[in-house]
Amino acid sequence: MIALFAFLLSASAATFSHTTPLPELAANSQAVVQGVVISAETRVKGHDLETHYVIAVEQTLRGATLETVEFTLPGGKFEGKTQRFTGIPLWSEGDEVIYFVPQQAGKDTAQRVLTVDGHQLIDSLERPEFPHTSDELKVVLRK
Amino acid sequence: MLLALTLLTAPAQAWEVLQTENGDPVRFVEMPVAWTYDDSQVPSDIENDAHSSAVADSMDVWGQVEQGGVTFEKDGADANTVYWEPNWEWDDALLAITSTWATDDGEIVGFDTRINGEYANWGVDDENKMDLQNTMTHEIGHALGLDHNPELYEATMYPTASVGDLSKRELEADDGDAIRYLYGKALEEEKPLFACNASGASSSMIGVLSAAATLFLRRRKA
């Protein structure tokens, strides 16, 4: 079990950013896995919502083999209202995701991803350009 | 040939909007959008009251979109708050972050924008600092339901900025198109061809292309 916070993407909802090459993101991850959301529980945190996800790993694309991964992301749905933070996905049970397991937890995990070429991310945790399928991702990761 | 020429000369559009699980756009239903600015935690290194004007001006630029349909009311009832967060729990690289609260059918019922109060290089009109108005204009775009525009660096909704960058204070045509899609009365009876994609990149040009060739269309979840 790994309870961490960043480096993740939805396989069906890839986002694009020019801030970081994918190989760099992969190199800074202890593993890259593809799996299915088996639990998504939203809770109130102060004035905000956060959702704790459990992912059942179906395929390890790179690095250590893991059975499940867990992490918590800001936002969620609670009592008929959805709180969205730009760039942060909201998943439901059954969604297929690809997850870049970070080397270590902490709020600095995305910094090296996001500050490149003198630019600073205005907001969100957007991920770099991403292959369309896990097979394509494998090709990138093997390079 | 004519088709190809048309495609090559078509203006680039890349705007994206926030969507619900069902693909409906996330947006305010009623105007004006009430907002307030809490400067109680403003960093001491920002000079005078320039920060207050910067925040207000960032609202105005969205309200000035021709046929955009967006209006703001400062300190109105149930105002949404822009505030400085002195204990930044997000990634250090983030300058600010906006969250929206919306119903299942996509009506925004509130937003808040928190500005990174730990970031040490804020400024206004200073080429050696990160411009607050530049950042806030981007954030208010999110508050109105716009997502990032990762294809067009000049766009206000492009996700990154650099020190001294003022370019996002003024909207690009693409930003204006997005706001008209969400709020513009002129488009009420003229929905984009592929409105379900809620993306400028997927309007008429892609409609033609998709019929002729395999084309990857990004799908963005809520």
Side-chain angles (χ1 to χ4, degrees), chain A residues 10-70:
Chain A
S10 165
S12 62
T15 58
F16 289 74
S17 170
H18 300 300
T19 51
T20 303
L22 183 62
E24 182 180 331
L25 177 61
N28 289 328
S29 304
Q30 63 167 287
V32 181
V33 299
Q34 178 181 354
V36 174
V37 177
I38 57 173
S39 174
E41 295 186 2
T42 297
R43 58 201 176 204
V44 177
K45 180 187 178 187
H47 298 294
D48 297 316
L49 301 180
E50 65 178 20
T51 302
H52 185 74
Y53 294 100
V54 181
I55 308 296
V57 176
E58 294 186 332
Q59 194 173 19
T60 299
L61 304 176
R62 179 186 179 127
T65 301
L66 303 165
E67 292 186 358
T68 60
V69 291
E70 295 188 26

Side-chain angles (χ1 to χ4, degrees), chain B residues 24-108:
Chain B
D24 296 321
V26 175
R27 56 185 164 187
F28 284 94
V29 171
E30 295 183 5
M31 295 289 158
V33 176
W35 67 279
T36 190
Y37 173 53
D38 179 355
D39 64 354
S40 60
Q41 301 288 343
V42 66
S44 58
D45 56 344
I46 293 189
E47 298 175 359
N48 54 53
D49 291 330
H51 53 92
S52 297
S53 298
V55 173
D57 291 346
S58 72
M59 308 276 175
D60 289 345
V61 72
W62 290 104
Q64 291 166 359
V65 173
E66 190 173 352
Q67 296 182 309
V70 174
T71 58
F72 293 94
E73 180 183 11
K74 190 172 187 302
D75 299 325
D78 300 322
N80 303 287
T81 306
V82 176
Y83 65 98
W84 292 87
E85 177 53 68
N87 303 308
W88 192 250
E89 64 178 19
W90 305 84
D91 192 292
D92 292 338
L94 307 186
L95 296 170
I97 195 156
T98 295
S99 72
T100 58
W101 292 80
T103 61
D104 288 346
D105 58 3
E107 179 184 355
I108 298 176

Side-chain angles (χ1 to χ4, degrees), chain A residues 13 15-16 18-19 47-48 74 77 82-84 86 90 95 107 110-111 119-124 126 132, chain B residues 20 88 91-96 99-102 104 114 138-139 142 148 150 153 158-159 161 218-219 221:
Chain A
T15 58
F16 289 74
H18 300 300
T19 51
H47 298 294
D48 297 316
K77 184 175 180 180
T82 300
Q83 186 184 30
R84 293 176 176 83
T86 307
L90 292 175
D95 284 351
K107 73 175 187 177
Q111 184 170 5
H119 290 261
Q120 184 142 4
L121 200 78
I122 296 174
D123 57 19
S124 96
E126 290 254 26
H132 306 161
Chain B
T20 67
W88 192 250
D91 192 292
D92 292 338
L94 307 186
L95 296 170
S99 72
T100 58
W101 292 80
D104 288 346
R114 56 204 85 184
H138 176 97
E139 291 305 312
H142 287 317
H148 283 148
Y153 178 77
Y158 191 82
R218 283 178 293 157
R219 288 195 301 124
K221 287 192 65 174

